[in-house]
Amino acid sequence: MHIDELVTLVEKMPAFPNSVQRVVELASDINSSGKDIVVVIESDPVMTVKILKAINSPFYGLPRKINSIQRAVVHIGINTIKNMALSVAAIGVLKPHNKAGFDTGKFLLHSLMTAAICKKLGETMGVPQNELSDYYVAGLLHDFGKVVFAEFKAEAFKQSLQKSAEQQLPLHHCENEFIGIDHSQAGALLAEKWAFDASLVEAINHHHTPPQSSLLTQCLFVANQVSKQLGIGDAGNPIVEAFPEAVSAHFGMDLNEVIESLGDLSTLKSEALSFIH
Amino acid sequence: MKLIFRGVRGSIPTPGPGTVKYGGNTTCIEIRTASNELIILDAGTGIHALAQRLNPRETVNAHIFITHTHWDHIQGLPFFMPIFMPNNLINIYGGIDPVTNEGIQRSMGVQLQYSFFPIREAELKAKLNYHTLLPGKTVSVGEARITPTLLNHPVLNFGYRIDCDGQSLFFTGDYEPVYNIYSPEDPDHDEYQSYVEAKLAEVAQAMSDVDALIVDASYTDEEYRSKQGWGHGTYRSALSMAAQAHAKKLFLTHHDPCRSDRQLDRIHQQLQQENRDAPFDILMAREGIEYTL
């Protein structure tokens, strides 16, 4: 699958049903607040990538890349962001079930949980507050490649999902076999093409193979395993991966200890569920 | 540089006995450099008055910088008479709208359709060139260097800094200083505040040490309370911007269309009284008056 083909396809990509409905509602209400629209966009990977893609384009020549919707709002204004979200909403709605048999509702829950946990992990690792939104966005977008596959490579993705489930193999290995590229590579290629910050591109690219150097990628790896272990949401990969050495060294805990250290996640879960229903 | 306001009203032209002194045209500023380059900031209805002052026997080479594409800043474009004369060269500059992904040519293309105007763009006689600007990237017009900065408004808006002949000015276009959309008790408040402060510092840097700062000051503090988020500044925000930028002269413009000459006089007087120690002149932008920087 060629990158130009991917890029063209994502242009046509519809957003998630609940966020489309909320954006339309908020845009019809002159008294709606800026932060309400930010919350909706931040809960939808499609809206988030499209807005970050626009704001990071060379037209805005920003001195540093923008990884968060909040930062995008400060730069080009809430009304423009609202208008952009509305134009994404106008493209249509992602079907909850598609030809690939991929459940986009469960996918969204997995993405939102991973985002919230990744941000929380960043916080516990002492990441400065103004960088935590990068952790959230990395979690939200790490599996974006899958939703592109489900929409535009349905047959091959269906085979990947089936083989992964039946033989209990990591989904990205099966994607490589049937599509010729896996979702982390697809997501990273897109993020790179859209000039997202290098740390975000790396986190998406290596979220199954976190390198020693990047705390963001390591937090993302752990957040992804925690989400899968707890079974909140489902992005089609049945395998909970063991911590590589770099991750164990950094966190000094195993998966169950990390889960214990995170405490009660029911608030994060109910917040994530509220975006979906 | 010479500076002449050709339109100082916000939103809608307001002719009538109450707006004779300050003028009733919408935003347009004429700048003349020492080598007589013609730079025009925004093309509100004031650009028609500007065109009337040009010598019809001389060819026109104009550089029109559009801050943003709301009506009151582009409505005069189809009435800028030099576009109908052969041999004239009209350069129009502006940004890319992130929603449509289109450049400034769209504003002319949209206005010049038979449904809205009797002449199409293809029928214009002058040579029109459109230029897409990038924030922070300086362009040159003769000796003048013009640098756009992204400023908050409900549509993409550039403030322009012009440096020329050893002098400088900055025009905000329509601008509401960015503010925190979260309340202090909200967990996202502090993070957002750090972005806001970084952006305000970037803006202050872009307008630093100018000889003239021309600012959208539409509202009093009291009016602003019900108009936050509409995209315009206040007299107070303009004063603090001028102080931070170490500007020498502050011009307040984008007068509210409901404001009469008498009300503007009163506001001006009050601002001068309350800010006697301000290290800059406080002036109300007024149509047709020429200032030499």
Side-chain angles (χ1 to χ4, degrees):
Chain A
M1 195 174 188
H2 197 267
I3 175 69
D4 290 340
E5 187 192 355
L6 268 180
V7 169
T8 316
L9 292 174
V10 173
E11 290 301 317
K12 301 176 200 154
M13 191 119 162
F16 288 80
N18 193 47
S19 32
V20 169
Q21 191 194 334
R22 286 291 294 143
V23 162
V24 172
E25 278 169 17
L26 290 169
S28 310
D29 177 5
I30 196 150
N31 295 319
S32 66
S33 81
K35 60 183 185 181
D36 291 343
I37 199 94
V38 169
V39 166
V40 174
I41 297 166
E42 281 181 336
S43 68
D44 189 305
V46 178
M47 286 193 182
T48 299
V49 290
K50 288 194 177 183
I51 287 168
L52 294 183
K53 165 182 163 279
I55 185 87
N56 283 310
S57 83
F59 293 132
Y60 304 104
L62 298 170
R64 56 171 297 192
K65 300 298 178 191
I66 288 192
N67 283 350
S68 84
I69 296 300
Q70 291 184 359
R71 230 175 256 181
V73 170
V74 173
H75 278 276
I76 57 172
I78 188 66
N79 208 63
T80 302
I81 295 287
K82 188 160 125 183
N83 210 344
M84 286 164 82
L86 204 55
S87 67
V88 178
I91 293 173
V93 172
L94 262 181
K95 291 180 206 77
H97 297 283
N98 42 58
K99 282 183 198 155
F102 187 64
D103 185 324
T104 52
K106 287 180 181 166
F107 163 82
L108 185 56
L109 184 55
H110 168 77
S111 300
L112 289 167
M113 279 309 288
T114 307
I117 295 167
C118 189
K119 186 176 174 184
K120 204 170 159 82
L121 286 172
E123 211 172 348
T124 58
M125 299 300 277
V127 171
Q129 200 177 24
N130 62 0
E131 289 172 26
L132 287 174
S133 57
D134 297 359
Y135 282 65
Y136 181 87
V137 170
L140 185 71
L141 300 186
H142 75 287
D143 273 345
F144 185 71
K146 287 182 192 172
V147 69
V148 181
F149 289 165
E151 198 64 12
F152 302 114
K153 289 279 162 190
E155 195 46 46
F157 190 50
K158 185 181 183 177
Q159 288 173 303
S160 313
L161 286 166
Q162 278 172 348
K163 185 166 181 179
S164 169
E166 283 160 13
Q167 300 186 19
Q168 291 293 295
L169 291 169
L171 179 62
H172 51 284
H173 293 178
C174 305
E175 290 165 342
N176 264 318
E177 183 185 337
F178 292 106
I179 306 174
I181 181 173
D182 72 37
H183 66 272
S184 46
Q185 293 165 319
L189 280 172
L190 289 167
E192 198 171 9
K193 177 84 182 172
W194 298 327
F196 287 9
D197 188 83
S199 63
L200 182 57
V201 176
E202 189 203 74
I204 294 171
N205 200 11
H206 294 290
H207 71 264
H208 290 288
T209 51
Q212 181 84 42
S213 53
S214 162
L215 180 63
L216 174 62
T217 317
Q218 290 176 17
C219 286
L220 177 57
F221 174 89
V222 174
N224 191 20
Q225 307 318 318
V226 171
S227 292
K228 286 188 283 185
Q229 178 75 8
L230 295 175
I232 309 171
D234 181 3
N237 185 2
I239 309 298
V240 177
E241 292 156 76
F243 282 11
E245 209 171 300
V247 173
S248 301
H250 234 101
F251 282 81
M253 292 185 263
D254 67 18
L255 179 59
N256 289 326
E257 286 165 340
V258 170
I259 291 174
E260 204 169 310
S261 76
L262 285 169
D264 183 12
L265 296 176
S266 58
T267 314
L268 293 187
K269 185 182 172 182
S270 56
E271 277 174 8
L273 279 168
S274 72
F275 289 128
I276 294 164
H277 301 299
Chain B
M1 277 190 286
K2 281 182 189 159
L3 164 68
I4 308 168
F5 290 96
R6 297 297 185 184
V8 297
R9 287 284 155 184
S11 308
I12 189 165
T14 49
T19 60
V20 172
K21 180 177 173 185
Y22 290 97
N25 279 304
T26 60
T27 305
C28 179
I29 302 169
E30 177 179 351
I31 315 274
R32 289 282 182 175
T33 67
S35 50
N36 208 32
E37 300 281 2
L38 172 58
I39 297 171
I40 300 168
L41 299 176
D42 276 341
T45 59
I47 204 171
H48 180 257
L50 188 164
Q52 302 304 305
R53 300 285 176 153
L54 299 172
N55 185 342
R57 284 182 294 278
E58 287 177 9
T59 57
V60 174
N61 183 5
H63 299 269
I64 305 174
F65 287 79
I66 303 291
T67 60
H68 67 293
T69 54
H70 282 158
W71 278 119
D72 51 331
H73 296 256
I74 60 163
Q75 201 171 8
L77 271 180
F79 300 92
F80 183 53
M81 301 319 275
I83 61 174
F84 301 110
M85 324 273 185
N87 303 323
N88 288 339
L89 178 60
I90 315 296
N91 290 282
I92 302 177
Y93 304 74
I96 290 269
D97 180 344
V99 180
T100 59
N101 222 21
E102 288 189 68
I104 195 63
Q105 60 271 25
R106 180 165 170 262
S107 61
M108 194 66 127
V110 166
Q111 290 186 91
L112 298 188
Q113 296 174 24
Y114 285 143
S115 326
F116 306 116
F117 200 74
I119 297 167
R120 286 190 312 131
E121 196 180 359
E123 299 170 62
L124 300 178
K125 295 284 185 281
K127 168 99 177 109
L128 264 68
N129 284 338
Y130 296 102
H131 306 266
T132 294
L133 301 175
L134 305 178
K137 290 274 180 279
T138 303
V139 291
S140 293
V141 171
E143 296 295 306
R145 285 170 296 119
I146 299 105
T147 313
T149 298
L150 267 178
L151 296 180
N152 181 52
H153 193 57
V155 67
L156 184 92
N157 177 67
F158 278 154
Y160 290 116
R161 181 186 178 112
I162 306 180
D163 290 276
C164 188
D165 311 327
Q167 297 157 330
S168 54
L169 68 83
F170 190 100
F171 173 47
T172 63
D174 287 4
Y175 172 44
E176 178 176 15
V178 61
Y179 58 92
N180 201 324
I181 58 174
Y182 298 94
S183 51
E185 58 276 9
D186 201 304
D188 285 320
H189 177 273
D190 293 355
E191 182 178 0
Y192 198 84
Q193 189 62 30
S194 69
Y195 303 151
V196 168
E197 278 159 22
K199 181 66 196 176
L200 292 175
E202 181 198 322
V203 173
Q205 176 62 33
M207 52 180 63
S208 63
D209 302 317
V210 284
D211 295 289
L213 178 62
I214 307 163
V215 179
D216 163 2
S218 296
Y219 306 131
T220 62
D221 288 348
E222 195 186 351
E223 289 163 346
Y224 183 67
R225 265 179 240 135
S226 59
K227 291 175 177 178
Q228 194 182 37
W230 289 26
H232 301 289
T234 63
Y235 297 109
R236 184 195 295 271
S237 65
L239 286 162
S240 81
M241 233 179 282
Q244 209 182 348
H246 305 292
K248 296 192 181 65
K249 281 190 174 72
L250 169 66
F251 290 95
L252 304 165
T253 190
H254 205 273
H255 306 317
D256 189 285
C258 297
R259 203 95 73 200
S260 66
D261 287 336
R262 199 182 289 180
Q263 287 169 316
L264 284 170
D265 279 340
R266 225 174 8 239
I267 290 170
H268 189 203
Q269 214 171 11
Q270 195 182 341
L271 290 174
Q272 284 180 315
Q273 275 170 7
E274 289 170 0
N275 298 278
R276 281 204 190 92
D277 300 335
F280 47 83
D281 299 333
I282 303 168
L283 300 122
M284 285 284 179
R286 208 179 138 186
E287 255 183 57
I289 308 289
E290 182 175 308
Y291 298 92
T292 303
L293 296 185

